[in-house]
Amino acid sequence: MKGLRQALVIALISVLTGATTQAQDATEIMKNSHLAYYYAGDDGLAEVNMKLIDKNGKVRDREFSMLRLDIEEGGNQKYYTYFRKPSDVSRLSFMVHKSADGNDKRWIYVPAVDLIKPISADDKNSSFVGSDFTYEDVSGRHWTEDEHKLIGEQELDGKPVYVIESVPKQEYKGFARKVSYIDKAGLLPLKEEYFDKKGTLVRLFHADRVDTIEGILTVTLRTMEDVKKGSKTTVEFASIDYNLGLTDDIFTERYLKNPPRQFVK
Amino acid sequence: MMRQLALFLAGLLMISAAPAPAQVTFDGFLQGLYGGRLDKNNPTATEQTASETRLQLRVQHTGASGEFFGRLDFVFDGADTASYDWELREGYLKFRLGSRFDFKVGRQVLTWGTGDLIFINDVFAKDYRSFFVGRDDQYLKEPQNALRSEYYSPLGELTLVWSPRFEPNRLPTGDRLSYYNPFVPGIVGTGLSPLYYFDPPQPEPEFKNAEIAARLSRDIGGFNVSLYAYHGFYKNPMGAYVVMVDNAPQFVPYYPRLNVFGASARGTLAGGVLWTEGGYLDSRDDRDGKSPLVPNSSVTGLLGFERQVATNLTANIQWQLDYMTDYDKFSAQQPQGVFVRDEVRHLLTSRITKLAMSENLTLSAFGFYSPTDEDIYVRLSAAYKYTDEITIAAGGNLFAGRHENTDFGQFQKNDNVYLKLTYNY
């Protein structure tokens, strides 16, 4: 009965959406998915536990707080990260001013030497703190940088999803083709497959747990697998809060040096 | 030392009295560092450049109105004669007054300026004894007792640092690392004579001998622009005065008085980071360059650029110029037979850092080269994080110079390699 209903829905959607509008729809879906995933609320504070698991199963832990402020929906954002673990980077803080034009700025503060250092942020594909997530995975690749095509609709783990193929408009190191499985209900990406130029699957993203936090659907446990290396990284939100009323001044060198203790204990 | 301990204990007491223990964190590391020299003809007394076990305890308490942070090191040193020592590396209170003032009071590490291992306006104390034998980077910065106040306004940020007591750089003393002594003249160490142990007298701990440093910063067109001023002393004992002992003149090294005025700018450009900094070193004890025993004033500036050249590979390059005022007087006063620096000294540096194996392996090379002084200093290191807790590192410090009396040339017999094991807890 369920299968029949689903087939009917798919048939209905196929009838209602012509081929020409499909690309637009796909772009619209990706845009809304991007906003739901990277721009939830006006700001947010997450307590993050990250596990880096190498191909031999060896685990490394990262624990940090991450503050985010949206300057404009779908546009500029500011991020502040304060590390607790491992102990050799404890109290280290890190700040990103993400710019929609691609000129991100990054700073690091090393408390042991009281040093603030801007770091060159040319390569968004470099790993975030040694994990299988890249900087871009953390703050998002803008949807306008890729061509999107709806290539199917199906069920994934019991949830109806759009299947969307994205191809970078300009040659891109991160992937040659990406297939996203977007939850129709909440528009969050539940799965992403990244392919290289040869068509080989290189990375695999999976949303393992989705919770409703303060009325906002949130991926609270996610995994990125590096298929080539055989490693994977899980990110779990131990807690998350939205709409804290964060202000612009928190994302400055002042707070990089003196962590905002009302948010970061 | 007792005062340091008292400060640390006061901090601990504050923590134990705190009602919310969840805001207290303890961590640190246990580390073994072993270094051997490559040049056996060094005039030092010790065979090893390092043989030490170090325990670092860190404690932090964050409360509603402020925070305490303490960092305490215990060291067993076996390179010389076996000895125990401890040092309070940091022990400070940080708090905010109103919405615009931040304070940091106590023993602390201070850094500013833009250079990568070149310091112009950063006249805070450095520890080259640690830097040259493979201790962690954090040991290059030496703590000092200070009151730091920061004032933030929409127009910019003003920082004032007051250090009640002068804190000199820690330089090679001759027992583990040899150095150039201009009164010999030559490269000396305690292996030649215990008299070559280098321990110059410091300015008296009087109110007028306090150090004051100030910085004014703001953002201009995406660049962080700063002005600096410092009032205090040369951090190296670059001056000398003469005393008569048994009717014979004797030279006593000392720390001449110094002012520094400077500026810097740093920002992102062309996919990388660009920085420039300049300063005027006002040698207060020899403003007109008359005395041969006190350094002349100088003007110095640097330009640097860093960018990621490939995935996980970052490189930078710096160029520094140092112009000595009253050079003619200076060069005329120099004794025969020693190398006399150029009026303009050039220094080029480059750092290359490669991360590999999911950032668990860090390879780094840093080179200093002065074409005018004709000397080189190269720092190499490889560090592998076996687990989150255990890091194994190896490295080397290599010096070369045509002359014995240049900044790096004087250390040419101190080439060393080291092995370092760290357990982070």
Side-chain angles (χ1 to χ4, degrees):
Chain A
M1 208 36 210
K2 200 179 164 196
L4 181 67
R5 203 163 57 203
Q6 196 195 355
L8 276 172
V9 169
I10 291 172
L12 197 65
I13 288 169
S14 323
V15 170
L16 291 176
T17 57
T20 45
T21 58
Q22 267 206 10
Q24 278 174 11
D25 288 350
T27 304
E28 196 62 22
I29 292 165
M30 285 309 272
K31 177 189 167 183
N32 289 327
S33 172
H34 188 88
L35 295 181
Y37 189 64
Y38 291 108
Y39 290 84
D42 295 330
D43 60 46
L45 162 62
E47 296 299 331
V48 182
N49 295 326
M50 193 180 233
K51 283 193 189 305
L52 286 58
I53 304 156
D54 74 8
K55 62 172 190 285
N56 303 318
K58 197 150 102 178
V59 179
R60 291 168 203 264
D61 289 301
R62 306 273 178 276
E63 254 182 62
F64 51 89
S65 302
M66 192 180 249
L67 288 162
R68 166 183 56 87
L69 174 65
D70 301 344
I71 306 300
E72 59 213 359
E73 196 67 2
N76 294 358
Q77 284 181 316
K78 293 180 176 179
Y79 288 86
Y80 180 100
T81 309
Y82 179 80
F83 286 90
R84 284 198 191 78
K85 274 185 186 168
S87 110
D88 62 336
V89 296
S90 64
R91 283 173 284 274
L92 186 142
S93 49
F94 179 70
M95 183 167 73
V96 180
H97 288 183
K98 181 186 138 191
S99 176
D101 68 10
N103 292 317
D104 293 2
K105 286 183 176 177
R106 296 182 203 155
W107 294 261
I108 191 167
Y109 174 66
V110 186
V113 281
D114 186 41
L115 175 74
I116 287 187
K117 196 176 175 301
I119 46 182
S120 45
D122 209 25
D123 190 355
K124 293 191 187 119
N125 280 297
S126 49
S127 153
F128 179 74
V129 297
S131 75
D132 297 303
F133 287 91
T134 63
Y135 281 98
E136 194 164 70
D137 295 327
V138 176
S139 62
R141 175 175 167 82
H142 207 262
W143 69 88
T144 54
E145 291 182 76
D146 305 320
E147 283 306 345
H148 308 286
K149 202 163 80 182
L150 184 66
I151 57 170
E153 293 174 51
Q154 63 178 68
E155 264 193 21
L156 183 73
D157 304 329
K159 289 178 181 167
V161 293
Y162 298 111
V163 183
I164 290 174
E165 180 192 71
S166 307
V167 175
K169 289 176 183 169
Q170 287 175 352
E171 183 161 322
Y172 177 57
K173 226 167 36 169
F175 59 86
R177 191 170 77 96
K178 180 176 82 168
V179 177
S180 310
Y181 300 77
I182 311 285
D183 181 17
K184 285 186 181 179
L187 289 170
L188 290 175
L190 298 182
K191 186 174 148 188
E192 292 168 343
E193 298 157 337
Y194 295 80
F195 298 91
D196 65 8
K197 268 191 274 188
K198 291 176 197 151
T200 315
L201 179 71
V202 285
R203 294 201 309 152
L204 185 65
F205 167 87
H206 203 273
D208 305 294
R209 193 175 70 216
V210 178
D211 293 314
T212 304
I213 313 279
E214 297 166 23
I216 295 170
L217 274 176
T218 307
V219 180
T220 51
L221 178 63
R222 68 194 71 182
T223 306
M224 183 66 87
E225 260 181 74
D226 189 316
V227 180
K228 243 195 225 165
K229 277 200 293 190
S231 59
K232 68 177 178 181
T233 300
T234 64
V235 168
E236 183 171 21
F237 289 169
S239 75
I240 179 152
D241 279 303
Y242 293 112
N243 300 321
L244 300 128
L246 299 183
T247 47
D248 218 25
D249 65 324
I250 287 173
F251 300 86
T252 58
E253 290 192 3
R254 177 184 191 181
Y255 286 91
L256 198 60
K257 263 192 301 194
N258 308 299
R261 293 295 179 195
Q262 64 271 43
F263 305 113
V264 179
K265 285 288 185 294
Chain B
M1 272 314 217
M2 282 319 289
R3 273 204 313 214
Q4 291 184 15
L5 186 63
L7 183 61
F8 193 77
L9 289 176
L12 282 177
L13 210 65
M14 202 178 89
I15 286 161
S16 58
Q23 293 169 4
V24 180
T25 54
F26 291 93
D27 57 7
F29 62 77
L30 181 67
Q31 185 176 70
L33 171 68
Y34 310 96
R37 58 181 84 256
L38 300 175
D39 190 341
K40 299 293 176 201
N41 295 319
N42 200 357
T44 51
T46 58
E47 282 277 315
Q48 292 150 307
T49 48
S51 175
E52 64 188 33
T53 308
R54 179 182 299 270
L55 174 70
Q56 181 169 97
L57 306 171
R58 294 190 294 252
V59 57
Q60 174 176 278
H61 172 241
T62 51
S65 53
E67 67 185 85
F68 169 81
F69 180 72
R71 180 197 298 272
L72 187 60
D73 274 21
F74 295 94
V75 186
F76 171 74
D77 192 332
D80 230 338
T81 49
S83 63
Y84 293 91
D85 202 358
W86 63 277
E87 183 183 24
L88 182 64
R89 301 284 309 172
E90 287 180 273
Y92 61 77
L93 283 167
K94 217 152 89 164
F95 54 92
R96 179 160 293 181
L97 279 184
S99 62
R100 293 196 163 175
F101 278 103
D102 286 347
F103 287 93
K104 191 172 173 185
V105 184
R107 195 154 179 81
Q108 57 188 293
V109 167
L110 295 151
T111 300
W112 64 34
T114 58
D116 188 4
L117 301 183
I118 298 182
F119 306 98
I120 295 175
N121 292 294
D122 180 335
V123 200
F124 303 117
K126 325 263 178 330
D127 181 352
Y128 291 98
R129 277 174 235 167
S130 291
F131 188 62
F132 291 149
V133 301
R135 290 196 188 112
D136 291 349
D137 284 354
Q138 62 169 281
Y139 291 96
L140 170 61
K141 295 300 284 197
E142 194 188 316
Q144 55 191 71
N145 298 332
L147 167 70
R148 183 180 85 182
S149 69
E150 295 172 316
Y151 173 74
Y152 294 86
S153 88
L155 290 174
E157 166 196 341
L158 175 68
T159 307
L160 284 173
V161 178
W162 180 69
S163 301
R165 195 172 170 175
F166 172 74
E167 194 75 54
N169 286 344
R170 292 179 196 168
L171 297 174
T173 51
D175 59 349
R176 206 159 301 179
L177 298 169
S178 54
Y179 65 94
Y180 177 78
N181 186 323
F183 305 116
V184 173
I187 292 174
V188 298
T190 54
L192 295 175
S193 159
L195 286 175
Y196 292 131
Y197 183 79
F198 192 66
D199 186 19
Q202 291 179 25
E204 292 296 313
E206 294 167 18
F207 184 77
K208 69 176 170 68
N209 287 340
E211 297 177 88
I212 301 165
R215 179 182 61 172
L216 189 63
S217 283
R218 67 160 297 163
D219 190 84
I220 299 174
F223 274 71
N224 186 277
V225 177
S226 301
L227 298 173
Y228 308 84
Y230 168 80
H231 178 81
F233 301 83
Y234 280 93
K235 292 283 176 154
N236 295 343
M238 295 172 76
Y241 56 85
V242 182
V243 290
M244 298 304 282
V245 178
D246 298 332
N247 287 327
Q250 268 207 347
F251 296 100
V252 180
Y254 85 109
Y255 298 89
R257 296 181 304 151
L258 173 73
N259 287 333
V260 182
F261 305 99
S264 74
R266 181 165 64 184
T268 49
L269 195 84
V273 179
L274 180 80
W275 61 92
T276 182
E277 183 170 345
Y280 172 64
L281 278 69
D282 168 23
S283 180
R284 292 157 63 203
D285 288 351
D286 189 25
R287 282 216 160 101
D288 46 12
K290 267 193 229 153
S291 168
L293 296 175
V294 179
N296 284 3
S297 297
S298 60
V299 179
T300 181
L302 68 83
L303 184 68
F305 184 69
E306 174 170 294
R307 68 166 296 170
Q308 211 173 328
V309 288
T311 302
N312 293 325
L313 182 67
T314 306
N316 75 21
I317 185 158
Q318 291 183 118
W319 176 35
Q320 185 190 18
L321 289 174
D322 181 63
Y323 167 79
M324 184 189 271
T325 61
D326 301 305
Y327 180 77
D328 294 343
K329 283 183 210 164
F330 162 80
S331 54
Q333 293 157 351
Q334 293 308 300
Q336 292 282 309
V338 301
F339 168 75
V340 180
R341 62 161 275 182
D342 289 7
E343 185 169 13
V344 178
R345 178 162 54 199
H346 293 252
L347 179 65
L348 296 163
T349 79
S350 179
R351 182 199 287 267
I352 297 169
T353 308
K354 168 78 183 163
L355 299 174
M357 304 170 76
S358 301
E359 299 189 8
N360 291 315
L361 177 66
T362 306
L363 302 171
S364 166
F366 196 112
F368 294 86
Y369 166 61
S370 172
T372 47
D373 276 3
E374 300 176 287
D375 60 358
I376 289 178
Y377 169 39
V378 177
R379 294 166 61 78
L380 301 169
S381 75
Y384 177 64
K385 289 187 73 171
Y386 178 67
T387 64
D388 276 340
E389 290 79 29
I390 298 167
T391 300
I392 176 162
N397 291 280
L398 307 168
F399 304 86
R402 174 156 297 192
H403 313 288
E404 289 191 336
N405 60 342
T406 58
D407 280 3
F408 301 119
Q410 66 171 317
F411 300 126
Q412 57 189 269
K413 294 184 172 169
N414 289 322
D415 292 353
N416 64 82
V417 289
Y418 63 86
L419 182 70
K420 192 164 54 180
L421 276 163
T422 310
Y423 176 78
N424 292 291
Y425 63 89

